[in-house]
Amino acid sequence: MEHIQIAATEKSPLIDFNPETGTLLLQGRSLVEDSESFFLPLVEWIIKYCEQPCKGTVVDFKFEYFNTSCSKWLITIAKQLKVLYAKDSSTEVNWYYEDDDVLEYGEVICDLVDMPINMIEVETEDEDI
């Protein structure tokens, strides 16, 4: 499997999916207009990764903001992570938030997929989440 690294832009998040270490990071702002073309390859990567995952995969969602079309893809990603969690219950999913809107959406995803997600508050806005 290939290591996916996508640099953040003003409208798209940083993506770092490392199959060798089992760390998956989505970080920043997501305002992509064509969310399907951005997120579908990530979902496909996760589906393939679930076939032979690392033990103890760690997934970090560190969003400052995301639009509605992105939010739908975050649910799709979380559903695939549920498959991963079913195979390896040591999989850890972390949802970092600075504000109540991002926290609430993380809680919605947690309820929808019925999988533990750690809600982690980022203390200051100056901190790089």
Side-chain angles (χ1 to χ4, degrees):
M1 281 199 79
E2 73 179 77
H3 182 169
I4 294 181
Q5 292 181 297
I6 302 171
T9 68
E10 287 183 20
K11 293 190 175 195
S12 64
L14 170 121
I15 304 295
D16 189 357
F17 287 6
N18 188 330
E20 295 195 17
T21 62
T23 57
L24 287 67
L25 172 65
L26 302 96
Q27 179 177 337
R29 300 173 56 83
S30 185
L31 304 164
V32 293
E33 291 182 27
D34 184 2
S35 58
E36 181 174 351
S37 67
F38 185 85
F39 285 100
L40 183 58
L42 302 179
V43 171
E44 291 171 343
W45 188 96
I46 293 170
I47 290 168
K48 187 174 177 186
Y49 176 77
C50 285
E51 294 171 7
Q52 291 186 322
C54 286
K55 180 94 172 130
T57 297
V58 176
V59 183
D60 290 322
F61 291 94
K62 296 182 176 184
F63 283 100
E64 297 167 23
Y65 178 81
F66 46 85
N67 62 16
T68 304
S69 65
C70 171
S71 67
K72 294 173 184 175
W73 283 98
L74 295 179
I75 292 171
T76 302
I77 288 170
K79 287 178 180 179
Q80 291 307 315
L81 294 175
K82 169 81 181 214
V83 172
L84 179 60
Y85 181 77
K87 286 184 168 192
D88 178 10
S89 64
S90 68
T91 297
E92 182 179 329
V93 180
N94 301 307
W95 184 272
Y96 292 82
Y97 66 93
E98 285 185 8
D99 63 47
D100 290 342
D101 291 337
V102 176
L103 169 61
E104 288 173 17
Y105 202 77
E107 291 171 339
V108 166
I109 289 175
C110 187
D111 290 343
L112 283 172
V113 298
D114 190 30
M115 171 182 69
I117 298 176
N118 303 312
M119 300 296 160
I120 302 169
E121 183 175 11
V122 175
E123 294 299 323
T124 66
E125 289 183 273
D126 295 335
E127 215 173 297
D128 183 20
I129 66 165

